[in-house]
Amino acid sequence: QTAEEHRRLVSEYARLGLEEEQKNLFIIDTKTAQTIIESLESIGIDTKANQNSGRLSFLSRQERFTSGGQFVPEAMIELIRSETRKAMEEGFSTLRFTNEMAWILPEPTDPEQLLEYEIKLNHFISDQPCIALGLYDKRHFSPSLLMNVLRTHPEAVIGTEVFDNFYYLPPENMLGDKPAASELDLWINNLREYSMAHQALRDSEERYKNLYNSLRDAILVADTERTIIHCNQAFTDLFGYTLEEVRGKKTQYVYSSNEEFQELGERLQRTNEEEFQYTIHYRKKDGSTFPGETKVFAFKDNQNTTTGYIGMIRDVTEQLRMEDELKREQRIVEAILETSGALILSIDSEGTIERANQSCEEITGYTEQDLKTISIMDLVPESEREEVKRVFNDLLNGVFPATHENHWTTKNGEKRYIAWTNTVVQDRSGNIESIISTGIDITEQKEEMESRLKQLEAEIAGMENFSSPGSTSVTGRMYAQRPFQEASPEDFSAMREEYQGILEDRLDEKIHKTDNHISSRLHFLAEQLGRTRVGPKDVVELHTTALKTLNSKAPYKRAQALTEEGRLLALELMGYLVSFYRNQTASENGVDR
């Protein structure tokens, strides 16, 4: 309808053809070649270079497709056929031509000639590498002719917009025996399709409305001036406002802080983001405020210009409270890790150290960063690695908590003896994420215990010397040659049960950190054994029999712990028995002890 529409349409149509390396042919009359060249150059097309390469060419109206001022359809079709063939010979994939239809003016007396041209053109283009754009200036053609033109094209360009043409009626139908009936059938069919499309649109709108109002997040729709246009039910529930109360107001109306409103406005001006997120404080109708996590989406038109915004608002009060609580717990855990005297490790399923506290750094001499680069096995002496691997694999297979002891080799080569308690951290599916190990450095305690064991073993050796054939007659009588279990089976059974109870209580005392008065009970048992004149072999027999009885009913781990603890308990009992016999010997010799 205007020169500007012509410029925009022709230049865009040609630009697409040139980008696709197609030949662009203009058949012109009222619009001169210079006018079209200026239109193309206004959008950056080098027309001279394209003309030289043959990609852009112009043809003026020629008498060969008119006769006596009348339009000759077959001559026009033949021209198009010839130009298409020529474009192929020149190496182009497609001929894209633009036909200025003004050359058919004045209008033909027989409009069927134009319809004949459209029929032949449609048939030709349907199987040829050819794209055609026919231009009609509404200011120069009658409405009746333009209506016929619209009827003959499945796609129409009105101004600069492309439409699927639901008025399209194949020309052969228009030229048939009953053109009015064909067009009536088309109109009826279009009415049905329109009705179906309209119903589908209503159904879609209803589904959208239901979805829109069923969302848990509050939704606020605003224009580019940030004026509220719409809101959903969740917004009403959260803020307490109805749509009527907020429609037409600036979004500032529900902001708690004017500064935050201004800051967001500045961000909208600075950026062209289609989606962004922020958290600000909102104000409800009752005056209360809350932190709202907001996702904003920009509406764009066909020219990528923002036409409005939709904001999805979620009250994150509880979420922020939980995050603060989590951070507080993390700070507490950090404080425990760094102030605890125990060694604390987090180890992944491959045995790599994920986290080590300050005590680990102090004992090993490595920094936490150093420890993160090595496997836990690198710290364990080679002779102990198989046992540590077994404990590690048991933990991965669900055997936890678990305790064990092993040496650690420090950075300077020193060996420290660590008592470990291990457990695991699992995810929601029960898969093991990490192993948590808490250790106590018991190097000095172990050295002290080993020293004590050596002392007890020396005492036992001395006791065995007392009971040897070379001992005094008094001592010999005290250490009867018949085994205690054989000489006094009932007493042996009673003392075995007492020793079993002491052994179980000793293990429980170690695990649960209780006081079961083990030393006094063991001292009393040693006196009972001494009065029955038992020897070292009898004590060993008492210990062995009790341990077998307990281990026959205990799980593997407890049986192992009973065996290890029983060794120390038997030596302690031996020590008390040695002291008892020494006192007895001293009394017989008249020595005041």
Side-chain angles (χ1 to χ4, degrees):
Q1 298 185 76
T2 67
E4 176 60 20
E5 280 186 357
H6 180 275
R7 183 193 67 78
R8 290 176 57 191
L9 176 58
V10 168
S11 58
E12 181 65 14
Y13 180 71
R15 182 188 64 80
L16 293 172
L18 292 171
E19 287 181 355
E20 295 293 329
E21 296 293 331
Q22 299 168 348
K23 182 171 183 176
N24 289 261
L25 172 65
F26 285 86
I27 301 176
I28 59 174
D29 186 14
T30 57
K31 299 295 181 183
T32 65
Q34 186 59 36
T35 301
I36 295 174
I37 287 172
E38 291 174 357
S39 297
L40 298 179
E41 289 179 344
S42 70
I43 61 171
I45 293 176
D46 186 344
T47 56
K48 187 174 183 179
N50 282 291
Q51 283 182 287
N52 291 337
S53 66
R55 287 183 294 179
L56 179 63
S57 61
F58 299 90
L59 283 178
S60 297
R61 182 174 58 133
Q62 298 182 25
E63 291 298 328
R64 60 179 173 174
F65 49 84
T66 61
S67 177
Q70 294 296 312
F71 173 46
V72 180
E74 184 57 45
M76 185 64 190
I77 296 299
E78 184 57 37
L79 173 66
I80 298 172
R81 180 180 290 109
S82 173
E83 290 295 331
T84 301
R85 187 183 309 113
K86 182 179 177 182
M88 299 300 102
E89 292 171 354
E90 292 172 352
F92 294 101
S93 63
T94 305
L95 173 66
R96 176 183 288 247
F97 80 89
T98 303
N99 194 355
E100 296 275 358
M101 299 301 293
W103 47 259
I104 69 170
L105 295 172
E107 293 183 24
T109 56
D110 184 3
E112 290 190 1
Q113 281 188 313
L114 181 59
L115 298 179
E116 179 188 350
Y117 164 69
E118 298 293 357
I119 292 171
K120 292 181 177 180
L121 180 62
N122 285 344
H123 286 169
F124 173 77
I125 287 180
S126 64
D127 61 356
Q128 294 292 318
C130 182
I131 302 172
L133 175 65
L135 296 181
Y136 291 84
D137 191 331
K138 187 180 176 185
R139 295 168 296 180
H140 301 305
F141 291 91
S142 68
S144 60
L145 183 141
L146 292 178
M147 289 174 66
N148 283 334
V149 169
L150 277 177
R151 287 187 178 99
T152 60
H153 289 280
E155 293 184 21
V157 185
I158 312 298
T160 56
E161 295 184 81
V162 182
F163 298 92
D164 287 329
N165 185 10
F166 55 79
Y167 293 113
Y168 170 65
L169 184 67
E172 52 266 35
N173 290 353
M174 292 184 66
L175 298 177
D177 296 336
K178 300 178 179 179
S182 296
E183 188 162 19
L184 176 61
D185 290 342
L186 173 67
W187 285 12
I188 292 172
N189 185 61
N190 286 345
L191 285 171
R192 288 197 179 105
E193 290 184 354
Y194 172 80
S195 178
M196 293 172 61
H198 190 62
Q199 182 60 45
L201 179 60
R202 285 199 300 267
D203 293 343
S204 177
E205 288 177 345
E206 187 64 26
R207 287 193 296 271
Y208 163 76
K209 183 179 178 181
N210 292 335
L211 174 63
Y212 178 70
N213 284 315
S214 66
L215 291 174
R216 296 175 59 187
D217 291 335
I219 296 179
L220 198 62
V221 183
D223 62 19
T224 54
E225 300 299 321
R226 303 171 73 189
T227 300
I228 298 173
I229 300 173
H230 210 280
C231 68
N232 69 342
Q233 184 61 44
F235 177 89
T236 297
D237 296 340
L238 178 59
F239 284 83
Y241 292 108
T242 64
L243 173 59
E244 290 70 25
E245 289 175 313
V246 296
R247 180 186 284 152
K249 293 182 171 61
K250 298 290 186 182
T251 54
Q252 180 183 6
Y253 190 70
V254 294
Y255 279 46
S256 175
S257 165
N258 185 57
E259 288 75 13
E260 290 181 326
F261 176 79
Q262 297 295 339
E263 288 174 3
L264 179 58
E266 293 172 2
R267 179 176 178 180
L268 291 174
Q269 292 177 356
R270 288 194 312 267
T271 181
N272 195 35
E273 296 174 272
E274 293 187 2
E275 176 184 343
F276 55 92
Q277 182 172 322
Y278 58 90
T279 299
I280 63 170
H281 283 79
Y282 290 98
R283 183 181 63 251
K284 298 183 181 182
K285 185 176 180 179
D286 62 10
S288 62
T289 62
F290 68 92
E293 181 183 82
T294 308
K295 290 183 178 179
V296 174
F297 304 88
F299 290 128
K300 303 281 187 176
D301 61 15
N302 292 337
Q303 284 71 45
N304 201 37
T305 301
T306 300
T307 59
Y309 303 96
I310 181 169
M312 303 181 69
I313 304 167
R314 177 175 298 177
D315 184 349
V316 291
T317 302
E318 183 62 19
Q319 177 182 327
L320 293 179
R321 187 196 67 77
M322 293 177 65
E323 288 177 357
D324 289 341
E325 182 64 26
L326 179 60
K327 290 177 181 177
R328 177 177 174 274
E329 291 180 359
Q330 288 175 337
R331 290 194 296 270
I332 292 174
V333 170
E334 290 290 333
I336 293 173
L337 284 173
E338 297 309 320
T339 59
S340 173
L343 292 80
I344 302 177
L345 290 171
S346 174
I347 309 167
D348 68 18
S349 59
E350 300 299 322
T352 303
I353 297 172
E354 299 174 319
R355 180 71 189 273
N357 70 343
Q358 187 175 346
S359 294
C360 292
E361 294 181 322
E362 293 172 353
I363 288 177
T364 64
Y366 293 105
T367 66
E368 183 182 17
Q369 195 59 40
D370 292 336
L371 291 171
K372 286 182 177 181
T373 63
I374 62 177
S375 167
I376 190 68
M377 296 301 170
D378 294 335
L379 298 169
V380 179
E382 188 171 354
S383 60
E384 301 178 35
R385 287 179 185 174
E386 286 303 317
E387 176 61 20
V388 174
K389 286 180 181 178
R390 184 189 62 76
V391 174
F392 189 81
N393 289 331
D394 285 348
L395 288 165
L396 294 179
N397 290 323
V399 182
F400 56 86
T403 60
H404 75 285
E405 298 174 0
N406 65 270
H407 285 92
W408 255 19
T409 304
T410 67
K411 189 174 183 178
N412 61 13
E414 180 186 2
K415 286 185 172 56
R416 307 296 297 179
Y417 198 70
I418 314 297
W420 296 101
T421 300
N422 310 293
T423 190
V424 300
V425 176
Q426 297 172 297
D427 61 19
R428 293 183 178 180
S429 302
N431 299 316
I432 294 175
E433 291 183 333
S434 300
I435 293 173
I436 304 299
S437 296
T438 303
I440 302 295
D441 184 353
I442 58 171
T443 305
E444 285 73 20
Q445 295 92 316
K446 180 175 175 58
E447 291 174 351
E448 181 181 352
M449 180 62 71
E450 289 176 347
S451 176
R452 183 180 173 193
L453 286 174
K454 289 179 181 179
Q455 182 180 357
L456 287 174
E457 288 170 354
E459 294 283 359
I460 292 170
M463 178 179 171
E464 289 175 343
N465 288 333
F466 287 145
S467 60
S468 66
S471 301
T472 63
S473 58
V474 175
T475 304
R477 290 195 307 274
M478 290 166 53
Y479 299 100
Q481 298 302 309
R482 291 184 64 193
F484 177 41
Q485 184 177 11
E486 180 184 332
S488 184
E490 291 184 1
D491 291 340
F492 180 87
S493 178
M495 292 185 188
R496 175 182 55 76
E497 290 182 2
E498 175 64 19
Y499 183 73
Q500 286 178 200
I502 294 173
L503 178 53
E504 287 191 299
D505 287 348
R506 166 60 69 85
L507 184 60
D508 291 338
E509 184 180 75
K510 185 175 181 180
I511 294 172
H512 302 296
K513 311 302 180 187
T514 58
D515 184 4
N516 293 327
H517 310 289
I518 300 301
S519 295
S520 59
R521 290 164 62 188
L522 203 62
H523 191 277
F524 180 73
L525 178 60
E527 291 182 353
Q528 288 182 295
L529 290 169
R531 292 191 183 96
T532 58
R533 303 296 190 268
V534 301
K537 292 181 179 179
D538 294 314
V539 174
V540 172
E541 185 66 25
L542 180 73
H543 167 73
T544 303
T545 307
L547 198 58
K548 286 181 179 179
T549 303
L550 291 175
N551 286 350
S552 65
K553 304 174 183 178
Y556 170 76
K557 285 290 186 181
R558 185 169 179 83
Q560 185 181 37
L562 285 168
T563 301
E564 293 173 356
E565 197 62 35
R567 183 157 96 32
L568 299 175
L569 194 70
L571 290 173
E572 191 173 350
L573 178 59
M574 288 281 196
Y576 285 133
L577 192 58
V578 168
S579 296
F580 177 80
Y581 283 142
R582 278 184 173 173
N583 291 335
Q584 287 285 327
T585 302
S587 297
E588 288 183 0
N589 294 332
V591 178
D592 184 9
R593 295 181 63 89

